[in-house]
Amino acid sequence: MNEAIHPLAKKTVVWYLAVTSLVLILMMIFGVIMLMNQGEMIRITPQWFYKIMTAHGTGMVGIAALGGTAILWYFLSKYVKLNPAILIVNFVLFLTGVSMVLIAIFVFDFSDGWTFLFPLPAQSAKMYGAAGAVFFLSGMLVLGIGFLILYMYLAARLTAVYGGLGKALGWDIIFRGKKGYGPPAAVVATAMVIITNSTALLAGATVLAASLVNIINPAVTMDPLLAKHLTYAFGHIFANCTIYMAVIAVYEVLPEYTKRPWKANKVFLIAWNCSTLFTLMIYTHHLLMDFAVPKWMLIIGQVFSYANGLPVMVVTAYGALMIVYRSRMQWDFASSLFFLSMFGWVAGAIPAIIDATIVVNHVMHNTKWVPGHFHTYMGMGVVAMIIGFMYYFNKTEGNQEHRGIDTFTIALYFAFFMGLVGSFLYAGGISAPRRWAEHLPQWVLSDQAGAVSGIFIVLAAIIFTARFFSGLRSVGSKVPYPKKSAAS
């Protein structure tokens, strides 16, 4: 049991996971509805398609961030004393922001996509009224404020305990020749997320605030290309950081199962520092088709998108293989999903790196190739880590045990997720566009294959969630181990 975490924080983590699991199912259902419409299996209006698409894209990344935050807080509490009030404040602001976003979409017909590219919100306001755009942009701001408060607090705590974010990233070992190992992997990953996601949130807040001002006073405008840079800097970094939070569970749990430590050696620390820098730069691969972007920025987008796939991903995936090799570890729900999530991360990065090649990007970026890469990374990477943590939490804090239904559900989930992402990548290969409500006949078969796969994925997610909620009844039933004091 994690006796270092505050009891109130532990209860809040349960709420985080409960909301995450339920919203994941809803977002998956939205995804299936879109595929069924594109595959001519059902018919919804284009207006409803784009409303669902907006909710699906925004909600999936947001809820992955919520689940990743639960993982980060739970394990970081072992090394740093944390105030549960901050976790609760973030949760309340998250729910408030989500409510505003849903009202904007389903009450006031906002359907501009998660990207809310300037000046689309203002144009939407002219067509459907300002309420939808204002609710959506304000809701996103509230969400961002909640996470920014969380990261500023965590930055203060790491500074108090480790002497600054640089030392939390192991700079004294990398640059000053200090011997030994760096801070725990959970601390290193948290420092990286604080730096990158705070930058992303500030970029997002800037363009959100500017768009709100433009709606209120159209005479106040901003450069659309600058707005696009800020928007994608926010969206790409924030989405990337979901896995950098969730992977903390892999670093903490696999050593527990294998009885082998996962030490933050110099190579590990260099990899995380490189990824900190690269993650801030590579959003530019979303702009490779924009002729107005300076060529040097496009080169950065390509080169460092290649480079970013190596440091942390390779170190983590290789480390997971080495720590598991001949360990005779116990394979259960948690360990299986954490190990398989390494495959999802690596497999998702490969089509992303291909797409980051400028000549390929010009042809492939606006096709379903991109959701193919992202769903691999998100569904078989981030979500697998979160679901694995849900089981681990119930097992560690209670007495939930692995059953045959769990093995079946894991196989069901990954088999049909391979079918889903395979249909996306194939559709990209035949130039099926993304974000289109209606498809040509030659694209329909891949949509139908994706929809059928999606139905079975939803079934697996429902079973995962049912097992999680049934396991919650045992949480708190264990006799705690003697307490170990956390760093203060």
Side-chain angles (χ1 to χ4, degrees):
M1 296 175 66
N2 184 358
E3 285 300 300
I5 187 172
H6 193 285
L8 180 57
K10 193 176 293 186
K11 291 179 181 178
T12 308
V13 166
V14 171
W15 280 103
Y16 269 66
L17 296 177
V19 171
T20 298
S21 61
L22 294 174
V23 175
L24 276 175
I25 292 174
L26 178 61
M27 293 302 105
M28 289 176 178
I29 291 172
F30 281 172
V32 171
I33 290 172
M34 288 190 289
L35 284 169
M36 292 180 73
N37 180 74
Q38 290 172 330
E40 300 179 354
M41 301 166 75
I42 61 171
R43 177 61 61 192
I44 60 175
T45 64
Q47 176 68 18
W48 265 99
F49 178 92
Y50 294 115
K51 287 164 69 171
I52 290 172
M53 185 190 76
T54 303
H56 177 76
T58 308
M60 205 69 190
V61 174
I63 208 62
L66 191 74
T69 300
I71 293 172
L72 181 151
W73 191 282
Y74 182 83
F75 289 114
L76 186 64
S77 297
K78 295 167 62 176
Y79 311 105
V80 180
K81 187 176 181 180
L82 300 174
N83 185 346
I86 303 298
L87 192 64
I88 295 171
V89 167
N90 180 60
F91 188 66
V92 171
L93 290 175
F94 182 88
L95 293 181
T96 303
V98 166
S99 299
M100 295 173 70
V101 167
L102 291 176
I103 290 171
I105 295 170
F106 295 109
V107 176
F108 295 113
D109 297 327
F110 185 85
S111 56
D112 291 10
W114 78 263
T115 47
F116 51 86
L117 284 174
F118 178 88
L120 287 180
Q123 294 175 358
S124 178
K126 292 175 184 177
M127 292 179 63
Y128 301 107
V134 170
F135 262 90
F136 185 89
L137 298 174
S138 300
M140 294 290 283
L141 265 177
V142 170
L143 279 164
I145 290 170
F147 279 106
L148 197 58
I149 290 171
L150 176 79
Y151 294 137
M152 292 302 99
Y153 171 73
L154 292 176
R157 293 302 302 132
L158 291 189
T159 299
V161 175
Y162 292 95
L165 294 179
K167 288 187 176 180
L169 282 169
W171 286 7
D172 49 352
I173 292 175
I174 298 172
F175 301 115
R176 296 176 185 169
K178 182 180 176 182
K179 303 298 182 182
Y181 297 100
V187 172
V188 176
T190 299
M192 181 269 192
V193 170
I194 289 170
I195 294 169
T196 54
N197 246 1
S198 296
T199 305
L201 290 166
L202 291 172
T206 301
V207 72
L208 286 166
S211 292
L212 281 168
V213 171
N214 177 252
I215 291 170
I216 296 168
N217 182 5
V220 180
T221 63
M222 70 182 304
D223 181 79
L225 187 60
L226 172 61
K228 186 172 184 180
H229 274 263
L230 292 171
T231 301
Y232 277 100
F234 158 66
H236 188 271
I237 295 170
F238 193 84
N240 266 220
C241 283
T242 58
I243 205 162
Y244 294 132
M245 292 189 286
V247 77
I248 292 173
V250 177
Y251 291 139
E252 290 286 331
V253 176
L254 285 186
E256 182 180 321
Y257 275 73
T258 60
K259 310 300 181 187
R260 295 172 176 174
W262 198 319
K263 296 179 179 179
N265 57 28
K266 193 170 184 177
V267 173
F268 179 91
L269 296 170
I270 291 173
W272 272 93
N273 276 267
C274 286
S275 197
T276 302
L277 178 62
F278 296 168
T279 300
L280 293 171
M281 301 164 62
I282 63 171
Y283 78 89
T284 46
H285 70 223
H286 287 281
L287 309 172
L288 296 179
M289 292 186 293
D290 293 333
F291 63 88
V293 177
K295 185 175 291 186
W296 64 266
M297 294 194 75
L298 302 183
I299 294 170
I300 284 177
Q302 174 168 325
V303 172
F304 286 98
S305 293
Y306 276 60
N308 193 53
L310 300 176
V312 173
M313 184 182 67
V314 171
V315 167
T316 303
Y318 180 75
L321 287 172
M322 291 301 97
I323 204 171
V324 167
Y325 181 65
R326 292 188 174 180
S327 66
R328 298 185 180 180
M329 64 182 287
Q330 175 192 2
W331 289 102
D332 63 8
F333 195 106
S335 58
S336 299
L337 278 174
F338 288 142
F339 192 72
L340 287 170
S341 69
M342 295 295 95
F343 162 76
W345 191 357
V346 174
I350 293 171
I353 291 172
I354 294 172
D355 180 63
T357 306
I358 293 175
V359 293
V360 175
N361 188 277
H362 286 172
V363 179
M364 303 290 285
H365 193 72
N366 280 339
T367 72
K368 277 197 169 183
W369 182 271
V370 171
H373 125 68
F374 188 75
H375 281 75
T376 309
Y377 165 96
M378 181 64 71
M380 293 195 288
V382 182
V383 174
M385 292 174 188
I386 294 172
I387 296 173
F389 175 70
M390 289 160 57
Y391 174 89
Y392 172 82
F393 182 88
N394 282 349
K395 177 186 175 183
T396 305
E397 303 294 341
N399 54 24
Q400 186 168 7
E401 296 180 354
H402 183 87
R403 295 180 180 174
I405 185 67
D406 297 324
T407 303
F408 167 77
T409 310
I410 292 170
L412 181 73
Y413 181 81
F414 272 86
F416 282 98
F417 228 110
M418 289 288 290
L420 175 69
V421 299
S423 73
F424 281 149
L425 295 173
Y426 171 77
I430 60 173
S431 299
R434 58 188 175 121
R435 298 178 182 155
W436 281 25
E438 297 183 12
H439 278 181
L440 296 176
Q442 59 264 38
W443 302 328
V444 166
L445 184 60
S446 63
D447 299 326
Q448 293 173 344
V452 172
S453 296
I455 290 169
F456 285 99
I457 293 169
V458 171
L459 174 62
I462 291 172
I463 298 172
F464 285 147
T465 302
R467 289 282 289 137
F468 168 68
F469 278 101
S470 66
L472 283 178
R473 292 177 296 180
S474 70
V475 170
S477 61
K478 279 189 176 180
V479 177
Y481 299 112
K483 286 189 177 182
K484 296 180 180 179
S485 60
S488 59

Short mmCIF file of all heavy atoms in Angstrom, two decimals, residues 355-384:
data_model
loop_
_atom_site.label_atom_id
_atom_site.label_comp_id
_atom_site.label_asym_id
_atom_site.label_seq_id
_atom_site.Cartn_x
_atom_site.Cartn_y
_atom_site.Cartn_z
N ASP A 355 4.93 10.38 -40.79
CA ASP A 355 4.12 11.55 -41.16
C ASP A 355 4.90 12.84 -40.98
O ASP A 355 4.61 13.85 -41.63
CB ASP A 355 2.85 11.59 -40.30
CG ASP A 355 1.97 12.77 -40.63
OD1 ASP A 355 1.49 12.84 -41.77
OD2 ASP A 355 1.78 13.64 -39.75
N ALA A 356 5.91 12.84 -40.10
CA ALA A 356 6.70 14.04 -39.86
C ALA A 356 7.70 14.32 -40.98
O ALA A 356 8.37 15.34 -40.96
CB ALA A 356 7.43 13.94 -38.52
N THR A 357 7.81 13.41 -41.95
CA THR A 357 8.66 13.64 -43.11
C THR A 357 7.94 14.59 -44.06
O THR A 357 6.80 14.31 -44.47
CB THR A 357 8.98 12.31 -43.82
OG1 THR A 357 9.52 11.39 -42.87
CG2 THR A 357 9.95 12.53 -44.96
N ILE A 358 8.55 15.68 -44.43
CA ILE A 358 7.84 16.75 -45.13
C ILE A 358 7.16 16.25 -46.40
O ILE A 358 5.98 16.53 -46.64
CB ILE A 358 8.82 17.91 -45.46
CG1 ILE A 358 9.26 18.59 -44.15
CG2 ILE A 358 8.15 18.93 -46.38
CD1 ILE A 358 10.31 19.68 -44.34
N VAL A 359 7.86 15.48 -47.24
CA VAL A 359 7.26 15.05 -48.50
C VAL A 359 6.10 14.08 -48.27
O VAL A 359 5.16 14.02 -49.07
CB VAL A 359 8.32 14.39 -49.42
CG1 VAL A 359 9.34 15.42 -49.87
CG2 VAL A 359 9.02 13.22 -48.73
N VAL A 360 6.16 13.31 -47.20
CA VAL A 360 5.04 12.42 -46.86
C VAL A 360 3.90 13.23 -46.26
O VAL A 360 2.72 13.02 -46.58
CB VAL A 360 5.49 11.32 -45.88
CG1 VAL A 360 4.31 10.46 -45.44
CG2 VAL A 360 6.59 10.46 -46.49
N ASN A 361 4.25 14.18 -45.39
CA ASN A 361 3.25 14.98 -44.70
C ASN A 361 2.35 15.73 -45.68
O ASN A 361 1.14 15.86 -45.45
CB ASN A 361 3.97 15.97 -43.77
CG ASN A 361 3.03 16.73 -42.88
OD1 ASN A 361 2.45 17.73 -43.30
ND2 ASN A 361 2.87 16.26 -41.65
N HIS A 362 2.93 16.21 -46.78
CA HIS A 362 2.14 16.95 -47.77
C HIS A 362 1.02 16.11 -48.34
O HIS A 362 -0.01 16.65 -48.77
CB HIS A 362 3.06 17.45 -48.90
CG HIS A 362 3.91 18.60 -48.50
ND1 HIS A 362 4.92 19.10 -49.29
CD2 HIS A 362 3.94 19.36 -47.37
CE1 HIS A 362 5.51 20.11 -48.67
NE2 HIS A 362 4.94 20.27 -47.51
N VAL A 363 1.19 14.81 -48.35
CA VAL A 363 0.19 13.90 -48.92
C VAL A 363 -0.69 13.27 -47.85
O VAL A 363 -1.89 13.08 -48.04
CB VAL A 363 0.89 12.79 -49.75
CG1 VAL A 363 -0.14 11.83 -50.33
CG2 VAL A 363 1.75 13.40 -50.84
N MET A 364 -0.12 12.97 -46.68
CA MET A 364 -0.78 12.12 -45.70
C MET A 364 -1.40 12.85 -44.51
O MET A 364 -2.27 12.30 -43.84
CB MET A 364 0.22 11.09 -45.15
CG MET A 364 0.86 10.22 -46.21
SD MET A 364 -0.29 9.04 -46.94
CE MET A 364 -0.40 7.84 -45.61
N HIS A 365 -0.98 14.07 -44.23
CA HIS A 365 -1.33 14.65 -42.94
C HIS A 365 -2.82 14.87 -42.76
O HIS A 365 -3.34 14.73 -41.65
CB HIS A 365 -0.59 15.97 -42.71
CG HIS A 365 -0.66 16.45 -41.30
ND1 HIS A 365 0.02 15.84 -40.27
CD2 HIS A 365 -1.36 17.46 -40.73
CE1 HIS A 365 -0.24 16.46 -39.12
NE2 HIS A 365 -1.07 17.45 -39.39
N ASN A 366 -3.53 15.21 -43.79
CA ASN A 366 -4.97 15.44 -43.66
C ASN A 366 -5.79 14.20 -43.98
O ASN A 366 -6.97 14.29 -44.31
CB ASN A 366 -5.41 16.62 -44.54
CG ASN A 366 -5.10 17.95 -43.88
OD1 ASN A 366 -4.95 18.02 -42.66
ND2 ASN A 366 -5.01 19.01 -44.66
N THR A 367 -5.17 13.05 -43.89
CA THR A 367 -5.88 11.79 -44.09
C THR A 367 -6.02 11.05 -42.76
O THR A 367 -5.54 11.51 -41.72
CB THR A 367 -5.12 10.88 -45.07
OG1 THR A 367 -3.94 10.37 -44.42
CG2 THR A 367 -4.72 11.62 -46.33
N LYS A 368 -6.65 9.91 -42.79
CA LYS A 368 -6.86 9.12 -41.57
C LYS A 368 -5.57 8.47 -41.07
O LYS A 368 -5.59 7.79 -40.04
CB LYS A 368 -7.92 8.04 -41.83
CG LYS A 368 -9.34 8.56 -41.69
CD LYS A 368 -10.32 7.41 -41.52
CE LYS A 368 -11.68 7.91 -41.12
NZ LYS A 368 -12.63 6.79 -40.87
N TRP A 369 -4.48 8.68 -41.75
CA TRP A 369 -3.19 8.19 -41.26
C TRP A 369 -2.90 8.79 -39.88
O TRP A 369 -2.39 8.12 -38.99
CB TRP A 369 -2.09 8.56 -42.25
CG TRP A 369 -0.73 8.04 -41.86
CD1 TRP A 369 0.20 8.69 -41.08
CD2 TRP A 369 -0.14 6.80 -42.23
NE1 TRP A 369 1.33 7.91 -40.94
CE2 TRP A 369 1.14 6.73 -41.64
CE3 TRP A 369 -0.58 5.71 -43.00
CZ2 TRP A 369 1.99 5.65 -41.80
CZ3 TRP A 369 0.27 4.63 -43.17
CH2 TRP A 369 1.53 4.61 -42.57
N VAL A 370 -3.22 10.06 -39.71
CA VAL A 370 -2.92 10.75 -38.45
C VAL A 370 -3.74 10.20 -37.30
O VAL A 370 -3.19 9.89 -36.24
CB VAL A 370 -3.08 12.28 -38.62
CG1 VAL A 370 -2.98 12.98 -37.28
CG2 VAL A 370 -2.00 12.80 -39.57
N PRO A 371 -5.07 10.07 -37.41
CA PRO A 371 -5.78 9.39 -36.32
C PRO A 371 -5.31 7.94 -36.11
O PRO A 371 -5.39 7.42 -34.99
CB PRO A 371 -7.25 9.42 -36.75
CG PRO A 371 -7.33 10.19 -37.99
CD PRO A 371 -5.97 10.64 -38.41
N GLY A 372 -4.79 7.31 -37.17
CA GLY A 372 -4.25 5.96 -36.99
C GLY A 372 -3.08 5.96 -36.04
O GLY A 372 -2.99 5.14 -35.12
N HIS A 373 -2.15 6.92 -36.25
CA HIS A 373 -1.01 7.04 -35.34
C HIS A 373 -1.47 7.41 -33.94
O HIS A 373 -1.05 6.82 -32.94
CB HIS A 373 -0.02 8.08 -35.88
CG HIS A 373 0.31 9.19 -34.93
ND1 HIS A 373 1.03 9.00 -33.77
CD2 HIS A 373 0.02 10.51 -34.98
CE1 HIS A 373 1.17 10.16 -33.15
NE2 HIS A 373 0.55 11.08 -33.84
N PHE A 374 -2.37 8.40 -33.85
CA PHE A 374 -2.74 8.92 -32.54
C PHE A 374 -3.54 7.90 -31.73
O PHE A 374 -3.36 7.77 -30.51
CB PHE A 374 -3.54 10.21 -32.70
CG PHE A 374 -3.79 10.90 -31.39
CD1 PHE A 374 -2.76 11.57 -30.75
CD2 PHE A 374 -5.04 10.85 -30.79
CE1 PHE A 374 -2.99 12.20 -29.53
CE2 PHE A 374 -5.26 11.47 -29.58
CZ PHE A 374 -4.23 12.16 -28.94
N HIS A 375 -4.43 7.15 -32.38
CA HIS A 375 -5.21 6.16 -31.64
C HIS A 375 -4.33 5.00 -31.16
O HIS A 375 -4.60 4.39 -30.13
CB HIS A 375 -6.36 5.63 -32.50
CG HIS A 375 -7.54 6.56 -32.55
ND1 HIS A 375 -7.52 7.72 -33.29
CD2 HIS A 375 -8.75 6.51 -31.94
CE1 HIS A 375 -8.68 8.34 -33.14
NE2 HIS A 375 -9.44 7.63 -32.33
N THR A 376 -3.28 4.68 -31.92
CA THR A 376 -2.34 3.65 -31.45
C THR A 376 -1.65 4.11 -30.17
O THR A 376 -1.60 3.40 -29.17
CB THR A 376 -1.27 3.36 -32.52
OG1 THR A 376 -1.91 3.10 -33.78
CG2 THR A 376 -0.43 2.15 -32.15
N TYR A 377 -1.13 5.31 -30.24
CA TYR A 377 -0.41 5.91 -29.11
C TYR A 377 -1.32 6.09 -27.89
O TYR A 377 -0.95 5.77 -26.77
CB TYR A 377 0.14 7.25 -29.62
CG TYR A 377 0.63 8.23 -28.59
CD1 TYR A 377 1.98 8.31 -28.27
CD2 TYR A 377 -0.23 9.14 -27.99
CE1 TYR A 377 2.45 9.25 -27.37
CE2 TYR A 377 0.23 10.08 -27.09
CZ TYR A 377 1.57 10.13 -26.78
OH TYR A 377 2.03 11.06 -25.89
N MET A 378 -2.54 6.59 -28.16
CA MET A 378 -3.46 6.90 -27.06
C MET A 378 -4.15 5.64 -26.54
O MET A 378 -4.16 5.37 -25.33
CB MET A 378 -4.50 7.91 -27.55
CG MET A 378 -5.51 8.33 -26.48
SD MET A 378 -4.78 9.22 -25.08
CE MET A 378 -4.36 10.79 -25.84
N GLY A 379 -4.74 4.86 -27.43
CA GLY A 379 -5.55 3.73 -27.00
C GLY A 379 -4.75 2.56 -26.45
O GLY A 379 -5.10 1.98 -25.42
N MET A 380 -3.65 2.21 -27.14
CA MET A 380 -2.84 1.08 -26.69
C MET A 380 -1.65 1.51 -25.84
O MET A 380 -0.91 0.66 -25.35
CB MET A 380 -2.37 0.27 -27.90
CG MET A 380 -3.51 -0.42 -28.62
SD MET A 380 -2.96 -1.71 -29.78
CE MET A 380 -2.28 -0.69 -31.08
N GLY A 381 -1.47 2.82 -25.69
CA GLY A 381 -0.40 3.34 -24.84
C GLY A 381 -0.96 3.97 -23.58
O GLY A 381 -1.02 3.36 -22.51
N VAL A 382 -1.45 5.20 -23.71
CA VAL A 382 -1.92 5.96 -22.54
C VAL A 382 -3.07 5.26 -21.83
O VAL A 382 -3.04 5.05 -20.62
CB VAL A 382 -2.34 7.38 -22.96
CG1 VAL A 382 -2.79 8.18 -21.74
CG2 VAL A 382 -1.22 8.10 -23.67
N VAL A 383 -4.11 4.92 -22.59
CA VAL A 383 -5.30 4.33 -21.96
C VAL A 383 -4.97 2.98 -21.33
O VAL A 383 -5.48 2.64 -20.26
CB VAL A 383 -6.44 4.20 -23.00
CG1 VAL A 383 -7.63 3.44 -22.41
CG2 VAL A 383 -6.89 5.59 -23.46
N ALA A 384 -4.11 2.20 -21.98
CA ALA A 384 -3.70 0.92 -21.40
C ALA A 384 -3.00 1.13 -20.06
O ALA A 384 -3.21 0.36 -19.11
CB ALA A 384 -2.79 0.17 -22.36
#
